[in-house]
Amino acid sequence: MKRPDTPFPRHWLYYIALKILLLGAAVAIALKLYGMW
């Protein structure tokens, strides 16, 4: 797996994990607002 160009290449795995976590949090908040969850 080739390392993508991120602001901090040494911690690119944490960067991807953080992006997924933020996306998941945004989806959870949206579902909460619309009363689906």
Side-chain angles (χ1 to χ4, degrees):
M1 192 172 173
K2 191 178 174 284
R3 292 186 180 200
D5 294 319
T6 54
F8 32 92
R10 284 179 63 206
H11 302 289
W12 67 278
L13 226 132
Y14 298 107
Y15 182 76
I16 292 162
L18 195 73
K19 276 180 103 170
I20 293 164
L21 201 88
L22 283 168
L23 195 74
V27 170
I29 291 162
L31 289 175
K32 200 95 168 158
L33 281 169
Y34 292 108
M36 294 176 178
W37 180 53

